[in-house]
Short mmCIF file of all heavy atoms in Angstrom, two decimals:
data_model
loop_
_atom_site.label_atom_id
_atom_site.label_comp_id
_atom_site.label_asym_id
_atom_site.label_seq_id
_atom_site.Cartn_x
_atom_site.Cartn_y
_atom_site.Cartn_z
N MET A 1 9.68 -32.27 114.43
CA MET A 1 9.91 -30.94 114.13
C MET A 1 10.63 -30.29 115.37
O MET A 1 10.33 -30.56 116.53
CB MET A 1 8.65 -30.17 113.93
CG MET A 1 8.67 -29.46 112.55
SD MET A 1 7.32 -28.32 112.34
CE MET A 1 5.94 -29.41 112.23
N ARG A 2 11.60 -29.41 115.05
CA ARG A 2 12.28 -28.73 116.17
C ARG A 2 11.38 -27.69 116.76
O ARG A 2 10.49 -27.16 116.11
CB ARG A 2 13.56 -28.07 115.65
CG ARG A 2 14.72 -29.00 115.44
CD ARG A 2 15.91 -28.33 114.80
NE ARG A 2 16.07 -26.99 115.31
CZ ARG A 2 16.85 -26.04 114.71
NH1 ARG A 2 17.43 -26.33 113.57
NH2 ARG A 2 16.96 -24.86 115.23
N ILE A 3 11.62 -27.45 118.01
CA ILE A 3 10.77 -26.55 118.75
C ILE A 3 10.59 -25.15 118.10
O ILE A 3 9.52 -24.54 117.99
CB ILE A 3 11.09 -26.45 120.23
CG1 ILE A 3 10.10 -25.71 121.07
CG2 ILE A 3 12.51 -25.80 120.45
CD1 ILE A 3 8.82 -26.54 121.34
N ASP A 4 11.74 -24.61 117.56
CA ASP A 4 11.64 -23.28 117.01
C ASP A 4 10.87 -23.26 115.75
O ASP A 4 10.15 -22.37 115.37
CB ASP A 4 13.05 -22.65 116.74
CG ASP A 4 13.92 -23.57 115.91
OD1 ASP A 4 13.62 -24.79 115.83
OD2 ASP A 4 14.87 -23.11 115.32
N ARG A 5 10.90 -24.47 115.05
CA ARG A 5 10.06 -24.56 113.83
C ARG A 5 8.58 -24.61 114.19
O ARG A 5 7.79 -24.00 113.51
CB ARG A 5 10.55 -25.85 113.12
CG ARG A 5 9.86 -26.21 111.81
CD ARG A 5 10.43 -25.34 110.64
NE ARG A 5 9.52 -25.41 109.57
CZ ARG A 5 8.85 -24.38 109.07
NH1 ARG A 5 9.01 -23.15 109.60
NH2 ARG A 5 7.96 -24.51 108.12
N ILE A 6 8.33 -25.40 115.19
CA ILE A 6 6.93 -25.46 115.66
C ILE A 6 6.38 -24.05 116.06
O ILE A 6 5.29 -23.63 115.63
CB ILE A 6 6.78 -26.42 116.89
CG1 ILE A 6 7.04 -27.83 116.41
CG2 ILE A 6 5.39 -26.31 117.51
CD1 ILE A 6 7.10 -28.85 117.54
N VAL A 7 7.24 -23.33 116.74
CA VAL A 7 6.87 -21.95 117.14
C VAL A 7 6.63 -21.12 115.94
O VAL A 7 5.61 -20.38 115.81
CB VAL A 7 7.94 -21.36 118.02
CG1 VAL A 7 7.64 -19.81 118.22
CG2 VAL A 7 7.96 -21.99 119.36
N ALA A 8 7.51 -21.25 114.94
CA ALA A 8 7.36 -20.46 113.68
C ALA A 8 6.05 -20.81 112.97
O ALA A 8 5.34 -19.89 112.55
CB ALA A 8 8.56 -20.70 112.83
N VAL A 9 5.73 -22.10 112.90
CA VAL A 9 4.53 -22.52 112.24
C VAL A 9 3.26 -21.97 112.99
O VAL A 9 2.37 -21.42 112.43
CB VAL A 9 4.43 -24.00 112.12
CG1 VAL A 9 3.02 -24.54 111.78
CG2 VAL A 9 5.49 -24.57 111.11
N LEU A 10 3.37 -22.07 114.34
CA LEU A 10 2.28 -21.54 115.17
C LEU A 10 2.10 -20.06 114.90
O LEU A 10 0.96 -19.60 114.72
CB LEU A 10 2.49 -21.84 116.64
CG LEU A 10 2.14 -23.30 117.05
CD1 LEU A 10 2.56 -23.46 118.53
CD2 LEU A 10 0.75 -23.54 116.82
N LEU A 11 3.18 -19.37 114.92
CA LEU A 11 3.15 -17.94 114.67
C LEU A 11 2.48 -17.61 113.34
O LEU A 11 1.71 -16.73 113.25
CB LEU A 11 4.56 -17.35 114.74
CG LEU A 11 4.99 -16.82 116.12
CD1 LEU A 11 6.44 -16.31 116.07
CD2 LEU A 11 4.07 -15.73 116.62
N GLN A 12 2.89 -18.40 112.38
CA GLN A 12 2.38 -18.13 111.00
C GLN A 12 0.91 -18.40 110.99
O GLN A 12 0.19 -17.55 110.43
CB GLN A 12 3.00 -19.22 110.08
CG GLN A 12 3.63 -18.55 108.84
CD GLN A 12 4.42 -19.58 108.04
OE1 GLN A 12 4.45 -20.77 108.37
NE2 GLN A 12 5.11 -19.14 107.02
N MET A 13 0.38 -19.37 111.70
CA MET A 13 -1.00 -19.69 111.77
C MET A 13 -1.69 -18.47 112.37
O MET A 13 -2.75 -18.06 111.96
CB MET A 13 -1.27 -20.96 112.50
CG MET A 13 -0.96 -22.20 111.68
SD MET A 13 -0.95 -23.67 112.70
CE MET A 13 -2.64 -23.71 113.32
N LEU A 14 -1.13 -18.02 113.48
CA LEU A 14 -1.77 -16.88 114.16
C LEU A 14 -1.81 -15.67 113.31
O LEU A 14 -2.79 -14.98 113.21
CB LEU A 14 -0.92 -16.54 115.46
CG LEU A 14 -1.26 -17.36 116.64
CD1 LEU A 14 -0.20 -17.06 117.75
CD2 LEU A 14 -2.65 -17.12 117.13
N MET A 15 -0.66 -15.46 112.55
CA MET A 15 -0.61 -14.26 111.64
C MET A 15 -1.68 -14.38 110.57
O MET A 15 -2.43 -13.44 110.26
CB MET A 15 0.72 -14.18 110.94
CG MET A 15 1.89 -13.80 111.87
SD MET A 15 1.73 -12.15 112.55
CE MET A 15 2.19 -11.27 111.09
#
Side-chain angles (χ1 to χ4, degrees):
M1 237 191 291
R2 281 174 40 196
I3 189 77
D4 55 341
R5 181 79 197 112
I6 292 172
V7 169
V9 167
L10 280 175
L11 267 178
Q12 231 170 6
M13 284 167 62
L14 276 173
M15 291 294 285

